[in-house]
Amino acid sequence: MTIRKFDFKKQFKMILAFDSFYFSNKAKTVCLLFENWEDAAPYSILSEITEGVADYEPGEFYKRELPCILSLLEKVEHTIHTIIIDGYVTLTDKGKPGLGAHLYQSLDPKVPIIGVAKSGFHENSKLVRELHRGESKNPLYITAAGMSADEAYDNIKKMDGPYRMPTLLKLLDKKTREALPE
């Protein structure tokens, strides 16, 4: 009789949220892992400092952040349900790929990607859903790959927190700026 060993850590399907903070020619990338859209606290937090990041190019942000996300993603030991990025999946109504689309194309098997941006992009009105949370007059701009924009909108809408930014995405932003090396 063979006894099957289970790695229970890997049995959980996790939602991942990524963000990076840039300083000098480095980036601090943080990933929050959580199980349910309504969670108020992360299951775990991973971070990494990347050196020699690309310079910022308008409309080509993915060249800067994608390598950082892919590097940290290698440390994730769980099955991935969905990934949330700080930014856009698509940049224009014609479908010009943003960071999220490039990340989606980089992953096999395809993992759904949700882009949550804090400011509007002038050529993107049809593929984006504007989400008003809390009392804020300013929306979050939701785009997606691997799931409908409506499903992505609903998922971000039900995240914990009474304010514009969900609790976990606010924590993610805070963690990217904490304890930066000199």
Side-chain angles (χ1 to χ4, degrees):
M1 176 178 181
T2 305
I3 297 176
R4 187 172 172 194
K5 292 183 179 181
F6 287 96
D7 182 355
F8 289 101
K9 281 181 133 180
K10 293 186 180 188
Q11 299 303 315
F12 296 113
K13 279 196 166 191
M14 292 288 170
I15 302 163
L16 280 56
F18 284 92
D19 195 8
S20 294
F21 181 77
Y22 299 93
F23 57 100
S24 304
N25 69 337
K26 300 175 186 174
K28 179 181 179 188
T29 303
V30 176
C31 174
L32 295 185
L33 291 83
F34 56 103
E35 294 181 73
N36 301 297
W37 292 106
E38 299 85 0
D39 287 352
Y43 176 82
S44 67
I45 301 173
L46 303 173
S47 68
E48 181 176 78
I49 303 291
T50 304
E51 294 192 30
V53 296
D55 291 333
Y56 173 74
E57 293 180 47
E60 305 289 320
F61 179 65
Y62 74 94
K63 291 178 181 178
R64 187 172 207 201
E65 191 149 337
L66 183 61
C68 300
I69 291 173
L70 293 175
S71 177
L72 187 53
L73 197 52
E74 290 181 21
K75 294 182 178 180
V76 175
E77 296 181 350
H78 299 278
T79 303
I80 303 168
H81 179 274
T82 305
I83 295 175
I84 302 168
I85 56 133
D86 178 15
Y88 281 91
V89 173
T90 50
L91 297 175
T92 67
D93 289 337
K94 293 180 182 176
K96 180 180 178 181
L99 171 61
H102 287 282
L103 177 59
Y104 183 72
Q105 292 302 317
S106 297
L107 301 178
D108 189 37
K110 303 294 187 212
V111 174
I113 309 294
I114 298 175
V116 178
K118 295 180 258 336
S119 57
F121 199 76
H122 63 282
E123 295 179 37
N124 196 346
S125 60
K126 295 177 185 166
L127 300 177
V128 69
R129 293 284 316 268
E130 292 185 14
L131 172 60
H132 291 271
R133 287 178 45 98
E135 303 288 322
S136 179
K137 303 284 186 235
N138 298 320
L140 294 173
Y141 299 89
I142 311 298
T143 51
M147 73 171 56
S148 72
D150 289 338
E151 184 179 358
Y153 173 96
D154 291 340
N155 288 333
I156 301 302
K157 183 177 182 177
K158 65 184 166 186
M159 288 182 76
D160 181 73
Y163 303 109
R164 178 183 185 223
M165 287 300 291
T167 303
L168 290 177
L169 298 186
K170 214 174 192 180
L171 175 63
L172 176 63
D173 184 63
K174 177 183 173 189
K175 291 291 182 185
T176 61
R177 290 165 172 73
E178 275 183 359
L180 292 172
E182 308 229 355

